Structures are given as C-alpha cells and as structure tokens.
Amino acid sequence: MGRTRHRPVTGQVTAPFDGRRTPVERLTVLYDAQCSLCVHVRHWLMKQRQLVPLDLVPAGSEEARRRFPRLDHAGTLSEITVIGDRGQIYRETSAWIVCLWALAEHRPKAHWLATPVGLPFARASVLAAAKYRSVTAAPCGPGDEACQVPDLEG
C-alpha cells in the first residue's frame, strides 16, 4: 500500500517561519458568493464587533486574484480560505476558528474550539456546512455565466 499524505490537523498553512511570531492585524475571508450559506455567514460576520478587521471578498473574484495572485483560487472555491495580513493562510476548520477569533463576542469560543476537546466540534461544524453547501449550491465550471461572482455591494 502506498502512503497517503495527510494534511495538518489544524488545516493551517503559514508563511515561511522567520524565527518570530507574526501578529495578525487584518484578515481577508474568501467566501463562495454563489453559496447561500456562505453569503449568510458573510452578512453575519459584517454585523459582528471585530477585534481584528475582516475583509470579505468573493473567492475567485477579480479582487481576490488581484490581492493574492499566487493563491490557488480554484481551491478557495472548494474550501473556506482566510488570509492574514502577514501571509498566513488558514483553510477549512482553522479558517472558521480564526474568523471566530477575530470577533469580540466569539474569541473565547474560538480559543476553546482550537483545543483538543473543542476541535472535533469545530470539524463537525465545518463538515456540516460543507454538506449543506454541496446539496444547495449549483456546481460551477470555468466560464459558466451562472456562476459569475455577483456584485454584493449594490
């Protein structure tokens, strides 16, 4: 049997280590603008008091490509991705946790969810959201006009 390469438990990928901690001062959340749940969460995040400012940008949009030209944008459409202002990249469960960590009312819950006891609950939430998304969102392919990123600011 061949070996399977496993992702880190946290799902977090960070910028190259430079020997010191890198504080996060701003986060960009890439969300699927075609997913009703994702758009709902976007609106909810915007209404929360933020300890760390969140920029909410549709995944795969021109804005996302301009801000992060070296990012795998196809991948950001299949899993939530959050990017820190110093190059930190959070995916999947870690992305959800860091979003909660950025919010004043939810930071204590984020700390708990990042523990070995809380992590299974965070993973279950992410899996439930992914399942909901898979049955409610239309599959999109390259050049599919129905899947164009809508203008949510208007």
Side-chain angles (χ1 to χ4, degrees), residues 33-75:
Q34 297 298 326
C35 165
S36 61
L37 176 62
C38 303
V39 171
H40 175 78
V41 170
R42 172 196 184 261
H43 291 300
W44 180 80
L45 286 169
M46 290 175 61
K47 292 176 185 176
Q48 303 302 306
R49 188 165 65 89
Q50 299 172 1
L51 298 174
V52 175
L54 298 173
D55 296 328
L56 293 117
V57 176
S61 67
E62 288 301 316
E63 177 68 11
R65 292 175 191 284
R66 183 188 64 75
R67 287 184 184 206
F68 311 105
R70 296 184 355 202
L71 192 64
D72 171 18
H73 291 280

Side-chain angles (χ1 to χ4, degrees), residues 84-99:
D85 58 343
R86 302 284 194 315
Q88 309 92 330
I89 299 175
Y90 306 89
R91 298 187 199 288
E92 300 172 342
T93 305
S94 290
W96 287 100
I97 292 171
V98 80
C99 283

